[in-house]
Amino acid sequence: MATRAENLVDLDIQSLPAAPPEAVTHLLTVDGTLVAWGASGIWRLDQDQQSWRRLREQSDAAVLGAAGDGQAAYVLLGSDAHGPVERIESFSLSGAARLSVPPLPAPLFSARAAVAGSKLWIVGVDADRARRFFEIDVSAAQPAWMTHAPWPGLVDEVTSAAEQTNALIITLRGVGRTDRILQWKAEEGWKDRGTAPAALVAGSASALGQAHVLYVSSTLPASVISFHTITGSWATLAEAPSATKISAATGWQNGIVWLRASEDGTQQLTSAQVRTTKLLLQPLDWVMIIVYLVSMIGMGMYFYLKEKRNSTADFFVGGRKIPFWAAGVSLYAANTSSISYIAIPAKSFETNWQYLTNNLIAVLGLMFVAVWIVPLLRRLNLMSVFTYLETRFHPVIRTLASGLCILMQIGARMSVILFLPSLAIATTTGIAVEWSILIMGVFTMIYTAMGGMKAVIWTDFVQLIVKMGGIVFAIVFIALMVKGGFGEMAAIAAAENKTKLFDFSFDLTKATVWGFVFLVLFDVVLTFPKDQVLMQRVLSTESAKEAGRSVWTLAAIMIPGGFMFYMVGTALYAFYKTHPERLNPLLPIDSIFPLFIAAELPMGVRGLIIAGILAAAMATLSSIMNSVATLASVDFYEKLVRNPDPKRSVRFAEWMTVVTGLAGMGLALLLSRYDIHSLFDVSIELAGLLGGGFAGAYTLGMFTRRANWQGVAIGIGSSIVITTVAWSMNLVHPYFYLAISILLCICIGYVASLLFPAPTAQTLEGLTIYGARRGAAPLTGGLMQNE
C-alpha cells in the first residue's frame, strides 16, 4: 500500500524588509528578535517587522560568528575578519553587562558554535590545522573549557553547528562541496549521520521542535530542507523563490530566515515559517468515540442502579466477588495507561527496547509476589493496604504512607495520564489540549463515582480489548505502508539496533539490566503492596488463592502486551525513516503515535484507535480515582469520624472521587503549559521522589520482626530527603530513584529501629511472612473493614 508522498507541513514564505543599509555578515535570533551584525553596527528588526533599528555601534573586534538558542546568545570575536576566533562574549539586546567567558584554549579557524542554556560548544581547527572541540558551562562557579575528542575523518571545513535532542550536530564540507553531517553525545561520542542531499548554506543550521534541524541549501534553486535527528532522514520542505546566492541564515520563530543579494545589489531577507495542516476527525471517527464514551457511562449507571450502595465492601472492593481472571486483566489495564499507549511508543521510536527489560524481569518478581505477598495480605481482608501498616506499626505510619500515596497518584500519575492523550486528541481533532483534559476527566469521574470498583474492573476489561485491538491494527497497517512490509521493518530495526533489549553495563546514568533488577527487587518483590491501585483489585477477589491467580494472570499478559507497545515505536521508526516528509517538526516526540493516527490511518479506524487512547487513559484514571477515594474514606474519614456509617462512607468516597478528578485535571492543565521532552521520564522521576519513601515500610513490616514504628518513620522521612538531593544533583538515571528511595527507607528504618524497643511476638502474629500459613483464617482485631 503506497503512502501519500506530499509534505505533511507547508511553509509560509514571505519577504521581510530589506536588510540594514550596510553589509550584513551574520544573523541571529535573540529573545524572539532578529538581530543583524553589519560592517559598523548591530541592528534589530522591530516588532512590527517593517523596519530595522540600530542597537549600537560595532566594537573594534571583528565578528566572526554568532550562536544562540533563542534566549542565550554569544558572538565569536577575533582581531581580523580573516583570522581565527580568539574570544567569545555573551550578547544581550539591552547591552547589559556581558557574561564573562574564559579565553579559548587555542584560537580557532573555521569555527562554529552551538548553545543550549548555559552550555556552549565550539568546533574548529587551530593554527596547525588540527581539529579541536571545546565545551564550557558558563553557569559553573568557575567556568572552564573542557576539551573533547575531535570529530573523526579529514580536516574538512566546519560549515554549521546546532544543538538538538541533547546532541551537537555539525556539518563538514569536503571535496566536491558535499556536506557531511556528524552527531556528538557526551555518553556516545561522535557518530556519522551520512551526507546532506545538497550543499548547505554555512551557518544555516537551526534547531526546530524536539528533533529537527532546518537548513537552507546553497545550490540553486535554493530550498529549505530538514534533518530528523532520530531517524537520520532528510526532507525537502520547499524551494526558495530566489535564483540568487544566499549568504547567511538563522532560525527564527517556527522556521528559518535567510539573507540574499537582490538584482540591484541590496541585501534582502526572506522568511520561511512552518505551517501545520489541521488533521481533523471525520464523522465516522466521532461516532466510534462517542459510542465508546457513552458505553462507559452506561456501565457506570448499570452498577449504580444494581448496587444498594450501603456497603463499603461493594463500593471499594466489589463485594470481594470479582473472578481472578477479571481482576488480572484489570491489573494489566490499570498498569497500561496512556503512558504505555503514547509515551512508550515514543520512547521506543527515539531509542530502543531497553526499557522493556523491566517487564521481563518484573514477571519473575510477580511470581514471588503471587506465592508469598498477595495471599498474606488477602487473608487480612483489607480495603486500604495501609491498614496493614497501622496494625504492624502505628496509626502515624498508616496516615503518613496513605497521604504520600495520594500525592503520588494524583501528582505523579494522574496528571501525566490525563495530559498525554490530550496531545493525541488535540493533534487529531483540533480540540484544544485543555478541553481534551476536561472531557476525559469528567467522563471518567462520572462513571467511577457511580459504579465503584465493579464498574472500574469491568470497564477495564472492555477498555483493554479496545486499546490492544488498536495497537495490533496499527502495527499491521504500518507494515503494509512500508515498502517491503515486515521484512523491511525488521531490516531497518536491525540496522539501527532499535530492538536492543539488554545493557549489562554498570553505568548508573543509563537504564541497564542491573538497574531494572535493582528496581524490580525493591519495587515489585519487596514492596508490591504499596500500590493501592493494584492491590485493590487483588483484594476484590474471593480468596487468597484467587488473589494469587490474579497476579499470575497479570504476569502472563505483561510480556506479550509490552512487546506490542514497543513494537509500535519501532514500526513508526521504520515508517518515518522512509517517509520523513510526513513528520511535523513542531510536534513533540511524545506526539509521534498520535501524529501517525491522525495523518495516515483511514476514517473509522482513526476513531477506533483514538478510543483506544482514551481507554488506556480512562482505565488507569478510574483506578486512581477509586483508590484515592478509598484511601481518603478508610484511612482518614473513618478514622476521624466517630462510629462511621457505611452509607455515609460511600457517599464521602463518591465526593472524593470528584475531588480527585478535579485535582488531577488541574495539575494536567498545569503540565500543558510546559515543553517537556519525555513525559515517560517525568512520570518515573515523580514516582521515585514521592512513592519510594513509604514503600520500604512494607518490606520492614513483612520481612523483619525487629522493625518498629519509630524507626520506620525515620526511614520514610530520611529516604525522601536523600532521594530529593540525588535528583537535584542528577547523580543517577531517573529509573533508579524509586529503588534507591525504597532501599534507603529499608536500611535507615531498620538501623533506627534498633534504637527503640522491639515489637512483642503477639503483635506480629500473622503479619510477617514467617508467621503466614497457607489457608489461615482472616485476622480480626482492627483489620476487618466495615462490610
Side-chain angles (χ1 to χ4, degrees), residues 218-357:
S218 58
T219 54
L220 299 178
S223 58
V224 179
I225 58 179
S226 66
F227 175 72
H228 190 235
T229 59
I230 296 174
T231 61
S233 54
W234 295 84
T236 300
L237 302 183
E239 289 190 356
S242 172
T244 57
K245 184 177 180 181
I246 297 174
S247 58
T250 192
W252 186 51
Q253 297 179 347
N254 287 330
I256 197 166
V257 62
W258 61 85
L259 189 69
R260 58 182 174 82
S262 63
E263 295 180 356
D264 60 4
T266 60
Q267 291 179 304
Q268 300 293 326
L269 282 167
T270 302
S271 166
Q273 299 298 313
V274 175
R275 174 167 52 87
T276 303
T277 303
K278 284 291 182 181
L279 303 168
L280 304 179
L281 295 180
Q282 300 301 311
L284 183 58
D285 299 319
W286 282 110
V287 169
M288 302 294 291
I289 294 171
I290 291 172
V291 167
Y292 163 74
L293 291 173
V294 171
S295 66
M296 294 298 102
I297 295 293
M299 292 182 73
M301 180 63 72
Y302 170 79
F303 288 106
Y304 179 77
L305 296 175
K306 183 180 178 181
E307 305 296 335
K308 294 181 180 180
R309 320 290 288 176
N310 293 327
S311 167
T312 53
D314 284 338
F315 188 81
F316 296 141
V317 288
R320 304 196 194 277
K321 297 178 181 178
I322 302 299
F324 77 87
W325 54 269
V329 169
S330 183
L331 280 169
Y332 183 74
N335 219 33
T336 53
S337 63
S338 55
I339 295 175
S340 302
Y341 215 88
I342 299 176
I344 288 180
K347 198 70 178 175
S348 174
F349 171 80
E350 184 181 6
T351 57
N352 49 41
W353 291 12
Q354 281 181 245
Y355 283 83
L356 181 58
T357 308

Side-chain angles (χ1 to χ4, degrees), residues 362-373:
V363 167
L364 300 176
L366 288 173
M367 295 178 183
F368 177 87
V369 169
V371 173
W372 289 101
I373 306 300

Side-chain angles (χ1 to χ4, degrees), residues 293 417-423 425 433 435-445 613-614 617-618 621 625 665:
L293 291 173
I417 291 164
L418 264 171
F419 176 54
L420 267 178
S422 71
L423 293 175
I425 296 172
V433 169
W435 280 106
S436 301
I437 291 171
L438 294 175
I439 290 171
M440 275 187 301
V442 169
F443 269 89
T444 307
M445 208 164 52
I613 292 176
L614 291 172
M618 294 169 72
L621 289 173
M625 290 180 187
M665 285 185 279

Side-chain angles (χ1 to χ4, degrees), residues 46 60 174 184 232 246 269 355 369 381 482 546 585 602 610 655 669 681:
D46 284 339
D60 293 336
W184 179 85
I246 297 174
L269 282 167
Y355 283 83
V369 169
N381 279 343
V482 174
E546 293 285 282
I610 290 296
W655 280 110
L669 291 171
D681 289 340

Side-chain angles (χ1 to χ4, degrees), residues 31 80 85 130 132 217 263 630 681:
D31 292 331
D80 183 84
V85 173
R132 305 299 296 270
S217 69
E263 295 180 356
T630 300
D681 289 340

